[in-house]
Amino acid sequence: MSPWMDAVFTKSYPGVSIRGELNWADRPRRVTALFGPSGCGKTTVLRCLAGLERLDAGVIRAFGQTWSDPGQRIHVAPQHRGVGFLFQDYMLFPHLNVRDNVAFGAPSQPDQRAQVDQLLQRFQLAGLDRRFPRELSGGQQQRVALARVLAAQPRLLCLDEPLSALDGPTRTHLRIELRKWLREFQLPALIVSHDAIDIQALADDLIVMSDGQVRQSGPVEEVLHQPVDITVARIVGFENFVPVKVEQRDSEGLSVEHVGWRFRGLDQLRSSNTSEGIACIRAEDLRLRKINADEAASLATILECIPEGAMLRVRLKLPSGQILQALVPRSTEFRSGETASIDLVVNAAVIVCKDSR
């Protein structure tokens, strides 16, 4: 099967070069997220796909057409690509009311009004059609912007931080709504975000970027829980990085040791000869239990307890001097200076190469 999107390209700015890599051959209605820290190149990739930026090198092919190829002097204009682009700040026309903003995106045809009416109903905007953007809440503005994008009947959706401008409760509600809309319209979509909760809720696949490069791609749960190196692990939310020695390998993973603390982990060392690595561990996968200091167990000294909503972030120190973070229910009572026994969720650790950056 030939890919419906095949793109490997470079866009350079003073002091930075951004490389996009996208190859989607099957299931074109999936939602893919671009994830990474600010400035890593996520939005630039979106803008190159939409034709808002010209490539310096490489090719973008989609839907059987070459969209960009600087070597052949090809650059299809944005309006001819069929890409619906939802900007981070929504870019609504302040002098147009809701209906006219949505209608602006719809093609001129006899049933345009009926199409606009349908979109206003679907996005719960029918009673707001005479209002102007300044009279709308952030969530309402987002719905108008998305309705306007979809009115153009795009083949591909590009959404740049679609939830970042919203407050907490509104963001939670709109996240659920956006997921529903993406499933309803059955369009391939590419979403830029640096929020892991948004990614898990909205996307099927994940592309992790750092310093202008793609570091890992694959299904969301695979990338989030099986990072290939320390860089990806940090980006997707691992907090603990423990140097370990490999004691045993088998078909299910690795048995490793850190100064007497033994546990198992997923093998991402990529070499059967490697005897040392770094164990990447999420704070929520560390288990703490109160214990007497003379009890035989893997022990750690509690340094600090920091409330985080219903959870408690606990900073610990191993006898080796290694600092760890654990996330435990707030109802668990720990105090600074106490000794706690530590354990791990089975196979929650991911063992990567020591020289990963």
Side-chain angles (χ1 to χ4, degrees):
M1 178 185 295
S2 60
W4 68 269
M5 169 72 75
D6 184 13
V8 179
F9 57 88
T10 301
K11 176 65 182 177
S12 298
Y13 301 98
V16 63
S17 182
I18 295 163
R19 180 179 171 85
E21 298 178 49
L22 303 165
N23 186 292
W24 300 321
D26 58 354
R27 291 188 284 180
R29 294 182 178 87
R30 290 170 73 84
V31 177
T32 301
L34 279 170
F35 187 62
S38 297
C40 71
K42 305 184 297 294
T43 295
T44 296
V45 170
L46 243 60
R47 292 179 62 85
C48 289
L49 288 177
L52 301 174
E53 300 283 353
R54 289 181 176 268
L55 308 185
D56 292 309
V59 178
I60 297 175
R61 297 186 182 93
F63 304 102
Q65 179 187 23
T66 299
W67 282 358
S68 297
D69 184 347
Q72 299 295 321
R73 297 185 179 180
I74 296 173
H75 180 80
V76 175
Q79 63 269 27
H80 297 137
R81 297 192 181 201
V83 176
F85 200 111
L86 182 64
F87 293 90
Q88 185 174 352
D89 57 2
Y90 307 144
M91 299 287 285
L92 297 177
F93 299 113
H95 63 289
L96 298 180
N97 62 29
V98 168
R99 172 176 289 279
D100 291 340
N101 261 285
V102 175
F104 187 89
S108 297
Q109 52 192 27
D111 64 344
Q112 184 199 66
R113 185 174 183 83
Q115 290 182 6
V116 172
D117 286 340
Q118 186 178 39
L119 284 167
L120 292 175
Q121 289 287 345
R122 176 166 286 189
F123 288 97
Q124 302 170 359
L125 296 167
L128 306 173
D129 60 333
R130 299 296 181 185
R131 293 190 186 182
F132 290 87
R134 64 180 179 275
E135 300 172 316
L136 303 174
S137 68
Q140 290 167 342
Q141 290 181 22
Q142 191 223 41
R143 298 206 302 270
V144 175
L146 186 56
R148 184 179 64 182
V149 167
L150 292 169
Q153 301 173 4
R155 295 183 292 179
L156 169 68
L157 282 178
C158 288
L159 297 89
D160 188 8
E161 298 280 8
L163 301 172
S164 64
L166 306 174
D167 59 49
T170 304
R171 185 184 187 119
T172 300
H173 173 71
L174 264 296
R175 184 187 296 127
I176 296 170
E177 291 295 298
L178 183 56
R179 178 184 176 87
K180 180 184 72 174
W181 295 326
L182 290 172
R183 300 301 185 267
E184 282 181 4
F185 282 92
Q186 290 288 289
L187 286 171
L190 192 64
I191 298 179
V192 160
S193 179
H194 61 265
D195 188 295
I197 297 176
D198 290 347
I199 295 305
Q200 287 179 289
L202 299 173
D204 304 300
D205 300 303
L206 180 59
I207 298 171
V208 175
M209 294 188 67
S210 176
D211 297 325
Q213 306 292 316
V214 173
R215 299 299 297 247
Q216 187 174 350
S217 62
V220 169
E221 290 304 309
E222 176 184 305
V223 177
L224 289 180
H225 297 289
Q226 300 176 30
V228 295
D229 57 35
I230 292 177
T231 297
V232 175
R234 291 187 190 280
I235 291 171
V236 300
F238 284 75
E239 298 100 328
N240 300 303
F241 303 92
V242 182
V244 294
K245 294 182 178 180
V246 177
E247 293 191 324
Q248 183 178 349
R249 286 181 167 85
D250 56 45
S251 59
E252 296 182 356
L254 299 174
S255 295
V256 298
E257 180 264 347
H258 172 81
V259 194
W261 181 27
R262 291 176 169 81
F263 54 90
R264 291 185 58 79
L266 175 70
D267 185 358
Q268 291 282 51
L269 292 175
R270 306 195 196 115
S271 171
S272 59
N273 297 322
T274 304
S275 61
E276 295 183 335
I278 299 293
C280 307
I281 303 168
R282 290 184 182 274
E284 63 262 32
D285 290 329
L286 271 175
R287 297 290 183 260
L288 303 185
R289 179 168 58 89
K290 289 195 172 186
I291 194 169
N292 295 323
D294 59 352
E295 186 173 343
S298 299
L299 304 179
T301 302
I302 295 174
L303 301 177
E304 187 179 14
C305 299
I306 307 168
E308 289 190 11
M311 306 298 286
L312 196 67
R313 185 170 296 274
V314 181
R315 293 182 66 248
L316 309 116
K317 185 176 181 179
L318 296 177
S320 66
Q322 178 75 37
I323 304 298
L324 299 176
Q325 294 184 49
L327 203 58
V328 301
R330 195 166 178 175
S331 58
T332 308
E333 295 183 359
F334 288 105
R335 293 182 180 180
S336 300
E338 288 184 336
T339 300
S341 171
I342 60 171
D343 200 357
L344 275 179
V345 172
V346 176
N347 280 340
V350 181
I351 316 302
V352 301
C353 297
K354 289 187 69 175
D355 60 355
S356 298
R357 293 290 184 267

Coordinates of all heavy atoms in Angstrom, one line a residue, residues 98-99 117 119-130:
V98 N -20.2 35.1 14.7 CA -20.0 33.7 14.7 C -20.4 33.1 13.4 O -19.6 32.3 12.8 CB -20.7 33.0 15.9 CG1 -20.7 31.5 15.7 CG2 -20.1 33.4 17.2
R99 N -21.6 33.3 12.9 CA -22.0 32.8 11.6 C -21.1 33.1 10.5 O -20.7 32.3 9.7 CB -23.5 33.2 11.3 CG -23.9 32.8 9.9 CD -25.4 33.2 9.7 NE -26.3 32.3 10.5 CZ -26.6 31.1 10.1 NH1 -26.2 30.6 9.0 NH2 -27.4 30.3 10.9
D117 N -25.3 26.1 9.0 CA -26.3 25.8 10.1 C -26.0 24.5 10.8 O -26.1 24.3 12.0 CB -27.7 25.7 9.5 CG -28.3 27.1 9.2 OD1 -27.7 28.1 9.7 OD2 -29.2 27.2 8.4
L119 N -23.1 22.9 11.0 CA -21.9 23.1 11.9 C -22.2 23.8 13.2 O -21.7 23.5 14.2 CB -20.8 23.7 11.1 CG -20.1 22.9 10.1 CD1 -19.2 23.7 9.2 CD2 -19.2 21.8 10.7
L120 N -23.0 24.9 13.1 CA -23.4 25.6 14.3 C -24.1 24.7 15.2 O -23.9 24.8 16.5 CB -24.2 26.8 13.9 CG -23.5 28.0 13.1 CD1 -24.5 29.0 12.7 CD2 -22.4 28.6 13.9
Q121 N -25.0 23.9 14.7 CA -25.8 23.0 15.6 C -24.8 22.0 16.2 O -24.9 21.7 17.4 CB -26.8 22.2 14.8 CG -28.0 23.1 14.3 CD -28.9 23.5 15.5 OE1 -28.9 22.8 16.6 NE2 -29.8 24.4 15.3
R122 N -23.9 21.4 15.4 CA -23.0 20.3 15.9 C -22.1 20.9 17.0 O -21.8 20.1 18.0 CB -22.2 19.8 14.8 CG -21.2 18.7 15.2 CD -20.6 17.9 14.0 NE -21.6 17.0 13.5 CZ -21.3 16.1 12.6 NH1 -20.1 16.0 12.1 NH2 -22.3 15.2 12.2
F123 N -21.7 22.1 16.9 CA -20.7 22.7 17.9 C -21.4 23.5 18.9 O -20.8 24.3 19.6 CB -19.6 23.5 17.1 CG -18.6 22.6 16.4 CD1 -18.8 22.4 15.1 CD2 -17.6 22.0 17.1 CE1 -17.9 21.6 14.4 CE2 -16.7 21.2 16.4 CZ -16.8 21.0 15.1
Q124 N -22.7 23.4 19.0 CA -23.5 24.1 20.0 C -23.3 25.6 20.0 O -23.1 26.2 21.0 CB -23.2 23.5 21.4 CG -23.4 22.0 21.5 CD -22.8 21.4 22.8 OE1 -22.2 22.2 23.6 NE2 -23.0 20.1 23.0
L125 N -23.4 26.1 18.7 CA -23.2 27.5 18.5 C -24.4 28.2 17.9 O -24.4 29.4 17.7 CB -22.0 27.8 17.6 CG -20.6 27.3 18.1 CD1 -19.6 27.3 16.9 CD2 -20.1 28.2 19.2
A126 N -25.5 27.5 17.8 CA -26.7 28.1 17.1 C -27.2 29.3 17.8 O -27.6 30.3 17.1 CB -27.8 27.0 16.9
G127 N -27.2 29.3 19.1 CA -27.7 30.4 19.8 C -26.7 31.6 20.0 O -27.1 32.6 20.5
L128 N -25.5 31.4 19.4 CA -24.5 32.4 19.6 C -24.1 33.0 18.2 O -23.1 33.7 18.1 CB -23.2 31.8 20.2 CG -23.4 31.1 21.5 CD1 -22.1 30.4 21.9 CD2 -23.8 32.0 22.6
D129 N -24.9 32.7 17.2 CA -24.4 33.0 15.8 C -24.3 34.5 15.5 O -23.6 34.9 14.6 CB -25.3 32.3 14.8 CG -26.8 32.8 14.9 OD1 -27.2 33.2 16.0 OD2 -27.5 32.7 13.9
R130 N -25.0 35.3 16.3 CA -24.9 36.8 16.1 C -23.8 37.5 17.0 O -23.6 38.7 16.9 CB -26.3 37.4 16.4 CG -27.4 36.9 15.5 CD -27.2 37.3 14.1 NE -28.2 36.8 13.2 CZ -28.2 36.9 11.9 NH1 -27.2 37.4 11.3 NH2 -29.2 36.5 11.2

